[in-house]
Amino acid sequence: MTSPIALFDSGYGGLTVLQRIRQLLPQYDYIYLGDNARNPYGSRSFEIVYQYTLQSVRRLFDFNAPLVILACNTASAKALRNIQQNDLPRIDPSRRVLGVIRPSVEAVGLYTKSHCVGVLGTQGTVDSLSYPIEIEKLWPDLKVYQQACPMWVPLVENGEFDKPGADYFVQKYLDMLMSQSPDIDVIILGCTHYPLLADKIKKYLPDGVRLLSQGEIVANSLRDYLARHADMDQRLTKGGTIKLYTTENPGKFENTARIFFDGHLPVEHITL
Ligand code: DGL
C-alpha cells in the first residue's frame, strides 16, 4: 500500500501545482482529487468551502496519505486554519495539511522593486483578505492590490481558456487590477486555475510586470518542508506513481490532465 502525497483542488487548477511538484520531486507517489462536480468554490460561502474541503481531506486520508496539500487558494483561505487547528487534532494529529497561500506570500516580497504587488484570485480568496493579511505580517512595507476574476475558473473548467472568447475577460480583470495602481510590478496568480490562462494574461500585461505562478513556488516550498521534516519524508512511499480522482466525469478530466502529463493517466470517479 502506498503512502502518497495528496493534492486537492476544486477542479483542474491543482494540476498546475501537481505538474511542477512532480517535475521537482518525481520519486514520490501522488494522488490528486478534483471536486469538479462542485466547482467553482470561489463564489461559495466560508461554511460550504470549509465543509467541502474537510470532506475531501478525509477522503484523501482514506487513501493513506499522511500529507495533503490544498492546491486551491480558496480552500487555503477559507478552510485550512480550521482544519489544522480543530479537525486534524481529532482526526489524526500525525498527519499534515498544508496550503498554497503562505509559500506564495513568502515569495512575493523577493520579486517586487516598486513595493506594489497585485493579487488575482477568486471572489472568495479576495474577500477573505488572506493575502493582504499574510503579506502585511511578512512584508509590512508592501502595498497590496487585489482583483477578483470570477469568470476565469469557469473558462478553465469549460475548456475555453485558450479560445478567443477568453480574451475579453482576461483583459477586463487585468485592466481593473492595473487601474488600482500603475506601480504594480509583480502579480500573484492567486488561483491555481489561472496558469492555464497565462498565455493570454501575458498578452494583456503591461511591460515589466512579472507574473508569479504558484506551481514552482509550492514545489520548492514542499521540497524544503520535506528536507526539514525527515519524519514525514520517511512515511511517504517513493514509487513514482500518480493517481487522479474526480467527483465528475473521468473522461473529461483525463483530457485536461493530458495537458500536464505525458502519456495516459487513468482517472477514477469517486464520491465524497
Ligand atoms: N483553484 C481554485 C483556487 O486556487 C479555484 C477555486 C474555485 O473553484 O473557484 O482558488
Side-chain angles (χ1 to χ4, degrees):
M1 190 181 198
T2 62
S3 293
I5 297 174
L7 277 85
F8 164 70
D9 181 48
S10 63
Y12 300 122
L15 292 172
T16 63
V17 178
L18 177 59
Q19 180 194 35
R20 302 312 289 261
I21 290 181
R22 179 98 196 304
Q23 280 166 2
L24 190 69
L25 304 166
Q27 67 273 35
Y28 294 94
D29 293 304
Y30 294 95
I31 56 172
Y32 180 95
L33 168 58
D35 188 10
N36 301 73
R38 300 190 293 195
N39 181 282
Y41 280 19
S43 49
R44 297 189 189 274
S45 69
F46 183 95
E47 249 327 296
I48 293 288
V49 172
Y50 165 59
Q51 189 187 314
Y52 287 1
T53 306
L54 182 58
Q55 276 175 359
S56 304
V57 167
R58 282 182 178 277
R59 197 73 174 85
L60 289 165
F61 283 171
D62 291 344
F63 288 100
N64 201 35
L67 176 62
V68 176
I69 298 170
L70 302 184
C72 174
N73 290 264
T74 312
S76 299
K78 295 188 164 202
L80 179 63
R81 180 162 309 177
N82 250 348
I83 290 175
Q84 284 175 334
Q85 293 181 353
N86 303 324
D87 299 300
L88 259 191
R90 278 189 294 110
I91 302 171
D92 182 348
S94 79
R95 306 212 202 193
R96 291 289 172 269
V97 180
L98 305 175
V100 290
I101 292 181
R102 179 73 191 191
S104 312
V105 166
E106 284 170 6
V108 71
L110 306 174
Y111 293 102
T112 176
K113 292 193 172 64
S114 68
H115 292 197
C116 293
V117 303
V119 177
L120 296 169
T122 66
Q123 195 67 54
T125 299
V126 166
D127 290 349
S128 76
L129 298 178
S130 294
Y131 274 100
I133 291 168
E134 293 301 319
I135 291 174
E136 164 72 22
K137 285 186 204 156
L138 213 60
W139 308 99
D141 57 336
L142 297 194
K143 279 206 175 111
V144 184
Y145 301 90
Q146 300 196 98
Q147 179 60 48
C149 312
M151 290 303 289
W152 286 9
V153 169
L155 286 170
V156 171
E157 287 290 315
N158 290 290
E160 293 288 331
F161 54 89
D162 54 354
K163 305 288 187 304
D167 286 64
Y168 172 80
F169 285 107
V170 167
Q171 187 174 19
K172 174 177 172 160
Y173 298 136
L174 274 181
D175 286 352
M176 285 165 81
L177 176 69
M178 294 310 297
S179 70
Q180 295 182 49
S181 167
D183 297 327
I184 294 170
D185 67 347
V186 176
I187 295 176
I188 300 176
L189 291 184
C191 170
T192 53
H193 280 69
Y194 297 173
L196 280 151
L197 289 158
D199 286 346
K200 290 200 189 289
I201 295 172
K202 282 177 196 151
K203 191 164 135 191
Y204 295 105
L205 204 65
D207 288 343
V209 180
R210 184 177 186 136
L211 268 192
L212 290 189
S213 293
Q214 294 177 306
E216 202 181 332
I217 292 170
V218 175
N220 288 334
S221 165
L222 177 63
R223 182 198 50 206
D224 296 348
Y225 176 86
L226 293 174
R228 290 196 313 275
H229 296 85
D231 50 331
M232 176 56 79
D233 190 53
Q234 278 156 20
R235 286 173 71 187
L236 297 165
T237 50
K238 288 145 188 108
T241 63
I242 309 184
K243 287 191 180 146
L244 305 175
Y245 297 92
T246 176
T247 54
E248 243 289 343
N249 180 330
K252 205 175 149 207
F253 197 96
E254 232 172 276
N255 285 339
T256 304
R258 276 204 195 101
I259 300 171
F260 299 98
F261 303 101
D262 294 336
H264 170 76
L265 280 184
V267 183
E268 268 179 50
H269 176 263
I270 54 170
T271 48
L272 295 176

